[in-house]
Amino acid sequence: MSEAVRACIGIGANLGDPVAAVRGALDALDAIPGCRLVAASRLYRTPAWGRLDQPDFVNAAAVLETALAPRALLEALLAVERRAGRARGGEQAAHRWGPRVLDLDLLLYGEQVVDEPGLRVPHPHLHERAFALVPLAEIATDAPFPGHGCVGDALRGVDVTGVEAIAGA
């Protein structure tokens, strides 16, 4: 791939078989045309964030080399979610931070800052979320995080209580 950019993706699920959903998402990310999976974190069990009246999540992170522009990559991520059974909008939109069969977030896209309707990179809440930073720091601790130094710097600023690697997953 020429002109490839390293993009960091957050992966989460807490409905159905979340371990299988996250593993399947990693395979699906590697299969996106114009993308290549270069690193994947271990899987982590994390407490629900935002809405606490739901099952724990399984989270992971991935680093992709991609020739896709940020918007095209986001559309590809949304397509992976749809194929996994995620329906955005409707009732799910009314329950922000609610349970989901699969959630893919574009966390970082190289060193770029993108602020467009429906697309903000770096992810606007990444610096607050241990469930995303812990797996991401495992595979991209030195990745530039505009406005926050690098991923490792941001991780030092959050409480990681309850974020635990899943043995054998």
Side-chain angles (χ1 to χ4, degrees):
M1 268 183 267
S2 62
E3 309 276 337
V5 172
R6 289 215 168 191
C8 298
I9 312 300
I11 308 165
N14 73 339
L15 293 178
D17 183 346
V19 169
V22 170
R23 285 186 180 144
L26 290 167
D27 291 338
L29 291 174
D30 196 35
I32 295 171
C35 294
R36 182 174 67 88
L37 180 68
V38 295
S41 74
R42 293 176 289 173
L43 276 55
Y44 290 83
R45 185 160 320 282
T46 63
W49 190 95
R51 283 191 46 204
L52 305 179
D53 62 337
Q54 60 181 319
D56 287 349
F57 275 80
V58 172
N59 289 99
V63 176
L64 301 178
E65 274 188 1
T66 183
L68 299 177
R71 174 70 62 185
L73 180 56
L74 175 63
E75 292 303 321
L77 298 178
L78 295 174
V80 170
E81 286 183 350
R82 284 190 300 274
R83 285 192 303 274
R86 174 142 185 214
R88 288 182 177 256
E91 186 177 324
Q92 189 166 30
H95 298 288
R96 189 171 190 191
W97 301 310
R100 53 205 57 194
V101 66
L102 182 63
D103 186 38
L104 298 175
D105 290 321
L106 178 53
L107 303 175
L108 300 170
Y109 186 88
E111 296 184 41
Q112 292 188 33
V113 175
V114 180
D115 190 357
E116 303 173 357
L119 176 60
R120 290 179 60 200
V121 179
H123 189 284
H125 300 289
L126 176 58
H127 66 285
E128 305 168 335
R129 296 179 171 174
F131 68 81
L133 284 169
V134 169
L136 184 57
E138 178 185 325
I139 57 173
T141 194
D142 294 327
F145 184 176
H148 299 276
C150 67
V151 169
D153 294 336
L155 178 60
R156 285 187 280 282
V158 298
D159 178 4
V160 300
T161 303
V163 178
E164 299 175 353
I166 300 172

